Amino acid sequence: MPTPDLQAAQQKARIRLAADIGGTFTDVVLETPLRRHSCKVLTTPRQPELAVLEGLDRLLQESGLDGSAIEVFIHGTTLATNALIERKGARTAFVTTEGFRDVLAMGYEKRFDAYDINLEGPPELVPRPWRLTVRERIAADGKVLMDLHEEDVRAAGAQMRDGHIEAVAIGFMHAWAHPSHEERAHHILASILGPQVSICLSSQVCPEIREYERFSTTVANAYVRPLMGSYLLRLQESIRQKGLLCPLLMMMSGGGLTTLDLAARFPIRLVESGPAGGAILAAHLARECGLDKVMAFDMGGTTAKICLINDGQPERSRRFEVGRVWKNLKGSGLPVRIPVIELVEIGAGGGSIGRVDAMQRITVGPDSCGSEPGPACYGRGGEQPAVTDANLVLGRIDPEHFAAGRMPLDAALSKQALTALIGKPLGMDAFWAAAGISEMVEENMANAARVHAIERGQDLGNFTMVAFGGAAPLHAGRLAQKLGITRVMVPAGAGVGSAIGFLRAPVAFEVVRSDLSDLSKMDPLVVEARLQAMHAEALAVVQTASAGAALHVLRLAELRYAGQGHELRVRLPPPSEGPIVQASLVALVEGFETAYEQIYGLRIPDCDVEVVTWSVTVSTQTQAAQAIALPPSIQQRQASSTRPVWEPALGEQRPFGLHWRFDLQTQEHITGPALVAEDETTTVIPAGWVARLDEQGHLMMEAPA
């Protein structure tokens, strides 16, 4: 029998806090052994920590806990992403090898839209006057072709000091393999500029080939590091004042957690931390419920995210573009090479603005009114109609109980904005303007999902949709109808899904090294030594925050046929199966050619296979839950009341039954059309669909047979 002290210690070890800062709302979740507490608070863009603290205070009061009882605090934020998109980072300079000053402007040297004569790329983070060059050159094989001219570095440092530069990115040719010149330049510049200026090296931020992407990633990291460092220190100090003495871990874009120190050094790894949390939640649910194919649909106040999950694992990549500036076209954003969960993100959220374009069509987004001023119905000065305004006018949202009743909405303001900016130009009333906004935002999301699936050779009709985020359950049923999906899960706590996902994420860190070599000529002992060194580097990071948890090691190689420009990722055997030997390299080649044939339909005989990059990820173990067999339905719930709501599939208003989610009993069946409300969102059940609450508390909706 555990002693009271042991019981208290065990309870403390299970009390965890998570906060996800979005463009409109900040979601805060407090999980205890007995209950999960959650809330949504309007984001405070100028001081993001204020919304986190407001949510924390609210949940501590609700739970009756003291801040010192919390064992760990996990945090994700859009601060770095927004700084890059809005170009509100530090005053940054870039120091590079002489002759490569304009790499950042030249990019890939190709147009992302071949037929647009007015094409403009994304604005550069560093203007040309602050792209400075120094004389130095190291060849790819490590031979020093030109010594580092230290007087050039000193001159650049003096120029940056006089120009009040706040951050510096250093990127030299071939520094991914031979960083000595970068390290020496760092030493010189640090002595001139002092500790108040942040300096980032490409050999530390992105030690991989391809100069443009390496330089772009390093510059982006330097650009946001002062902002993120300052914010994280403020947040840490603020939670300490609230009595939280626990570790503060940060969610990364690749789906793992890292320490505050690492996050402050490499904030570029946080750019997709919120969406990554949602994907982690959906993957956890897929394993828990035995779903082999899941489409995660996360719709918040600013954006909608779609991620495909197969066999309980989200797709991952090492390439990502921040802030695409033209029709979401690939190549129109700022490229960064970081571990990231593969997803599509579009400007379609509750705050996305509806308007009439030059061709008299209703369009929605990609811009959002955010939390300041927010949609018109918030009553905070917003005058443009947003998706939330449309949902309110269409009857889907109860204005008195929005955000657990803490933010009553004003439907009159919604109608006024819809009439003025959409209704009058098109000769329709506010209701039909709202219906147009709803239909357009759902079609935008459906198109994005179709393209994302087609690019991966997937048929969405075989997938179960998992819908979460404050706005997703409002649109999930209609989106499923458009995509041919017949089953939708709205998990418990859907309104704060990404923050809950943070609590399911492993502590993880990935180390990557480029090493362009012919695989057939590599020495297995050299490969093993490199992988062990990378493993030790990742392990040192993870052990600081894993509290002795069991660890998992994932080793990958990026391979290609010699002469090609792109690679495929292939798994290596784990360290537990023994060291790398010649047979391991032969199996690696076979794994690559099998994957190549699956994707491209052929193999290329007698063509050498070369390795481009090695990757080692160390993470805490994720436990896969067993699927639970569900008993048959035993009762049918009848709505206690109804209200008229727009039913888009029928093109008319219908009386929708009204239900409160926490009144439902396990395995009760609800037949649509109906609304199931909860504190942080509302689920719309389309006409003819049937919903039930499963054993885990998830709301399952199914289309009629």
Side-chain angles (χ1 to χ4, degrees):
M1 184 76 178
T3 66
D5 289 343
L6 179 58
Q7 288 178 326
Q10 290 173 335
Q11 178 168 323
K12 179 179 178 180
R14 295 175 60 192
I15 297 176
R16 301 182 300 163
L17 179 73
D20 174 28
I21 299 180
T24 304
F25 283 98
T26 293
D27 299 342
V28 187
V29 174
L30 179 65
E31 204 168 66
T32 74
L34 301 177
R35 187 181 168 191
R36 184 166 63 218
H37 305 265
S38 62
C39 68
K40 298 179 81 71
V41 180
L42 280 175
T43 295
T44 49
R46 296 175 184 85
Q47 290 183 277
E49 69 274 14
L50 296 182
V52 176
L53 297 175
E54 180 184 346
L56 171 61
D57 286 340
R58 188 178 296 175
L59 296 187
L60 289 178
Q61 181 178 3
E62 178 183 308
S63 64
L65 292 171
D66 185 82
S68 61
I70 297 173
E71 186 268 340
V72 67
F73 178 18
I74 302 171
H75 181 37
T77 175
T78 60
L79 190 60
T81 313
N82 293 343
L84 290 169
I85 292 173
E86 298 171 10
R87 298 303 192 264
K88 293 181 179 179
R91 183 174 171 84
T92 304
F94 177 52
V95 181
T96 189
T97 306
E98 186 178 54
F100 293 87
R101 180 183 188 183
D102 293 317
V103 166
L104 292 176
M106 294 165 65
Y108 296 111
E109 296 185 289
K110 63 181 181 182
R111 299 165 62 87
F112 55 82
D113 188 337
Y115 302 104
D116 185 352
I117 61 174
N118 298 313
L119 186 70
E120 292 185 9
E124 296 155 18
L125 296 179
V126 180
R128 196 169 193 271
W130 289 114
R131 300 199 295 264
L132 310 175
T133 64
V134 300
R135 288 170 290 175
E136 70 83 36
R137 191 65 181 268
I138 298 179
D141 61 4
K143 182 179 179 181
V144 178
L145 303 178
M146 180 185 294
D147 289 327
L148 176 66
H149 281 54
E150 296 188 359
E151 62 272 22
D152 291 359
V153 181
R154 293 190 181 92
Q159 186 176 345
M160 289 185 281
R161 180 189 59 207
D162 296 341
H164 305 291
I165 288 297
E166 300 169 314
V168 180
I170 303 176
F172 291 159
M173 288 297 292
H174 303 302
W176 55 271
H178 311 288
S180 58
H181 283 185
E182 280 194 356
E183 292 166 352
R184 178 57 185 161
H186 180 198
H187 178 77
I188 295 170
L189 291 177
S191 66
I192 296 172
L193 299 174
Q196 69 275 12
V197 176
S198 172
I199 302 176
C200 298
L201 307 184
S202 74
S203 53
Q204 296 176 355
V205 176
C206 183
E208 300 182 56
I209 64 169
R210 297 188 174 93
E211 268 55 45
Y212 172 48
E213 292 177 349
R214 177 162 60 92
F215 292 173
S216 176
T217 305
T218 307
V219 166
N221 194 74
Y223 187 75
V224 300
R225 193 155 85 168
L227 174 72
M228 287 297 297
S230 173
Y231 163 69
L232 293 174
L233 288 175
R234 294 198 314 270
L235 177 62
Q236 185 177 47
E237 179 59 28
S238 297
I239 65 172
R240 293 289 181 265
Q241 293 175 5
K242 297 287 185 182
L244 276 72
L245 305 177
C246 60
L248 173 56
L249 302 180
M250 298 298 297
M251 187 75 194
M252 296 186 295
S253 57
L257 305 175
T258 191
T259 62
L260 187 71
D261 291 341
L262 263 293
R265 284 184 60 199
F266 305 115
I268 194 63
R269 292 199 178 198
L270 308 180
V271 294
E272 285 292 281
S273 59
I280 291 296
L281 172 66
H284 172 81
L285 293 171
R287 295 190 296 269
E288 179 184 79
C289 301
L291 304 174
D292 58 347
K293 290 184 177 294
V294 161
M295 188 192 92
F297 169 42
D298 177 4
M299 185 178 180
T302 305
T303 58
K305 285 78 65 176
I306 292 165
C307 175
L308 302 184
I309 295 166
N310 290 281
D311 299 321
Q313 294 296 327
E315 295 184 52
R316 287 179 165 85
S317 176
R318 284 201 51 76
R319 296 174 180 84
F320 181 71
E321 288 185 17
V322 179
R324 291 180 176 175
V325 298
W326 188 247
K327 298 179 181 178
N328 203 36
L329 284 178
K330 183 178 180 180
S332 67
L334 179 72
V336 292
R337 287 185 67 88
I338 55 173
V340 64
I341 288 179
E342 189 77 58
L343 49 82
V344 60
E345 184 171 9
I346 62 172
S352 294
I353 298 170
R355 55 175 59 86
V356 177
D357 67 10
M359 297 179 67
Q360 296 296 289
R361 301 173 303 183
I362 296 177
T363 63
V364 182
D367 53 333
S368 169
C369 51
S371 61
E372 295 181 356
C377 58
Y378 284 11
R380 296 166 60 90
E383 298 180 349
Q384 295 177 296
V387 172
T388 298
D389 293 305
N391 283 324
L392 180 59
V393 170
L394 295 175
R396 294 168 177 162
I397 298 175
D398 183 344
E400 299 301 321
H401 295 92
F402 186 76
R406 295 186 178 94
M407 276 186 62
L409 304 180
D410 190 332
L413 292 177
S414 293
K415 292 178 181 178
Q416 181 179 323
L418 287 162
T419 301
L421 297 179
I422 295 179
K424 286 184 178 179
L426 298 181
M428 60 177 63
D429 62 19
F431 180 87
W432 285 106
I437 286 180
S438 176
E439 187 67 17
M440 288 309 303
V441 76
E442 288 162 352
E443 191 59 35
N444 290 345
M445 293 185 292
N447 284 334
R450 291 186 193 104
V451 171
H452 190 64
I454 290 170
E455 289 176 346
R456 285 150 186 80
Q458 301 280 1
D459 177 7
L460 289 177
N462 299 322
F463 281 69
T464 297
M465 179 189 294
V466 177
F468 51 91
L474 290 161
H475 298 274
R478 180 59 173 158
L479 183 60
Q481 290 174 326
K482 288 176 175 287
L483 296 174
I485 292 174
T486 59
R487 183 165 57 172
V488 177
M489 173 194 289
V490 181
V496 291
S498 289
I500 294 173
F502 294 173
L503 300 174
R504 307 290 176 264
V507 179
F509 195 76
E510 180 182 32
V511 175
V512 178
R513 294 288 182 272
S514 285
D515 180 20
L516 190 58
S517 304
D518 185 336
L519 200 57
S520 65
K521 298 177 182 178
M522 296 196 74
D523 184 343
L525 295 177
V526 173
V527 174
E528 178 65 21
R530 175 180 287 272
L531 293 174
Q532 285 187 5
M534 295 168 65
H535 176 264
E537 184 178 340
L539 184 63
V541 174
V542 173
Q543 282 182 328
T544 62
S546 60
L551 300 179
H552 171 72
V553 181
L554 174 64
R555 305 192 296 184
L556 300 170
E558 295 190 5
L559 307 173
R560 67 187 184 188
Y561 282 120
Q564 292 187 333
H566 298 279
E567 305 82 49
L568 297 178
R569 306 184 86 184
V570 182
R571 286 195 180 204
L572 286 88
S576 59
E577 295 185 10
I580 298 294
V581 295
Q582 190 61 43
S584 307
L585 301 184
V586 173
L588 196 58
V589 172
E590 175 59 27
F592 163 75
E593 294 195 318
T594 299
Y596 193 93
E597 186 174 20
Q598 287 176 344
I599 295 173
Y600 300 110
L602 78 163
R603 300 189 182 202
I604 304 179
D606 303 321
C607 186
D608 293 333
V609 174
E610 58 186 12
V611 63
V612 177
T613 301
W614 303 101
S615 164
V616 176
T617 302
V618 177
S619 62
T620 52
Q621 292 277 15
T622 300
Q623 299 296 326
Q626 298 295 319
I628 297 176
L630 301 176
S633 172
I634 57 173
Q635 53 185 316
Q636 178 89 14
R637 171 169 288 268
Q638 299 295 327
S640 58
S641 60
T642 65
R643 74 166 175 258
V645 178
W646 170 247
E647 173 52 88
L650 301 177
E652 61 186 20
Q653 278 188 307
R654 284 288 184 90
F656 273 56
L658 305 181
H659 305 271
W660 181 245
R661 180 162 180 162
F662 301 105
D663 288 341
L664 302 181
Q665 301 297 315
T666 301
Q667 296 308 310
E668 289 186 23
H669 275 208
I670 300 170
T671 300
L675 301 177
V676 179
E678 52 190 294
D679 283 342
E680 291 133 358
T681 189
T682 296
T683 301
V684 176
I685 304 172
W689 284 53
V690 177
R692 58 179 170 79
L693 203 66
D694 73 10
E695 294 287 351
Q696 291 82 31
H698 310 313
L699 190 65
M700 304 294 295
M701 297 194 299
E702 294 187 356

